[in-house]
Amino acid sequence: MPALPAPGADIERILRWDGCVNVRDLGGLPLADGGETAYRVVVRADWLPGLSDAGRQALVDYGVSLVVDLRPAREHEEDGIHPLPVPVVNQGMDPRPLPDAWEWPSMREAYLALTDHYRGQLARALTLLGDAQPPAAIHCAGGRDRTGIACGMALWLAGVEPDVIAADHALSDESWAPHNSGWFAEAPDEQERERRRRISQPAGRTLAEVLEEIERREGIRKLLVGAGADEAALDRLVARLRSEA
């Protein structure tokens, strides 16, 4: 898997917003035909409602105009009474009704189940990112899985090589590694603890392989458009990521 380029002196991909542990800009990733993705188009993140006051100010200072939340309503119970200081649109992708996504026999099976069942939510999420005044942010609970699928699709459409998408995806494992032991310890029983251990296994090249499989099977853009994505919004998102807009 290729190493990601080091951030420039003036721009950091990893965003340290207090209260979150897995926030980064999708800029700075090499494009297959030369150049790199643009900064301040899309920010991917974990649980943004968990931001402290300082973290919320960082989100505002970064210019985020819209937040796309991929969590279902049942995951909002701990959001508290303080809404984020920017508009939020929910496109809930609940893994619980999907055995492969909840029991997690493997990351590949979980990702394929989520992508197939929630293609409409993914289509609307990418449409929202393309319609928003950049930068827009997208998040779920941990910022790796549901967010990773959506961002992987956006990067694929923009022309980022699959191995680069996988390397960026793997940064989420690095972000969460120091916190995994505590997550395991909080499990109510050994069965749940083992499920969490399966989920926390490093992603490796799995996201790239899932995207390649979808592309062979039906095409990523075709999947999104067939599920209701606005083609003009997808084109805007791609153009912005490629610094062509």
Side-chain angles (χ1 to χ4, degrees), residues 111 114-115 122 144-154 207 211:
Y111 280 18
L114 286 166
T115 301
L122 290 165
R144 185 190 70 165
D145 302 317
R146 292 165 288 188
T147 299
I149 293 168
C151 291
M153 287 181 160
L207 177 60
L211 294 172

Side-chain angles (χ1 to χ4, degrees), residues 98-120:
L98 310 177
D100 282 348
W102 183 250
E103 296 300 331
W104 204 275
S106 70
M107 180 178 284
R108 174 186 171 278
E109 290 167 281
Y111 280 18
L112 286 172
L114 286 166
T115 301
D116 186 57
H117 191 80
Y118 291 115
R119 54 181 61 202

Side-chain angles (χ1 to χ4, degrees), residues 37-50:
T37 51
Y39 285 88
R40 293 181 185 266
V41 176
V42 177
V43 174
R44 59 178 294 171
D46 57 307
W47 183 45
L48 287 176

Side-chain angles (χ1 to χ4, degrees), residues 55-238:
R56 288 163 184 254
Q57 187 60 52
L59 178 144
V60 171
D61 292 345
Y62 205 72
V64 171
S65 68
L66 178 76
V67 169
V68 179
D69 185 349
L70 298 178
R71 300 170 306 142
R74 67 169 184 83
E75 293 183 36
H76 296 176
E77 295 173 359
E78 298 180 9
D79 286 0
I81 60 173
H82 302 294
L84 287 170
V86 298
V88 177
V89 180
N90 294 102
Q91 292 296 329
M93 297 172 62
D94 190 349
R96 282 185 182 262
L98 310 177
D100 282 348
W102 183 250
E103 296 300 331
W104 204 275
S106 70
M107 180 178 284
R108 174 186 171 278
E109 290 167 281
Y111 280 18
L112 286 172
L114 286 166
T115 301
D116 186 57
H117 191 80
Y118 291 115
R119 54 181 61 202
Q121 285 80 354
L122 290 165
R124 289 188 289 274
L126 266 66
T127 295
L128 287 162
L129 295 178
D131 281 341
Q133 179 68 32
I138 184 166
H139 81 100
C140 53
R144 185 190 70 165
D145 302 317
R146 292 165 288 188
T147 299
I149 293 168
C151 291
M153 287 181 160
L155 293 171
W156 180 285
L157 295 178
V160 177
E161 289 279 10
D163 283 346
V164 174
I165 295 174
D168 172 69
H169 188 55
L171 293 178
S172 293
D173 292 319
E174 296 180 20
S175 296
W176 280 108
H179 306 274
N180 282 339
S181 60
W183 190 46
F184 301 157
E186 293 169 357
D189 53 47
E190 188 57 32
Q191 182 178 359
E192 172 62 13
R193 190 169 296 112
E194 285 302 316
R195 188 186 75 89
R196 294 183 181 193
R197 289 193 180 106
R198 291 196 299 275
I199 291 171
S200 67
Q201 290 299 305
R205 200 178 178 276
T206 303
L207 177 60
E209 292 169 356
V210 166
L211 294 172
E212 288 166 342
E213 183 170 342
I214 296 169
E215 183 67 17
R216 286 193 303 270
R217 188 176 67 199
E218 58 184 308
I220 291 170
R221 185 182 179 96
K222 185 176 178 181
L223 178 153
L224 293 167
V225 172
D230 181 83
E231 292 200 71
L234 291 183
D235 290 342
R236 277 192 298 274
L237 177 60
V238 167

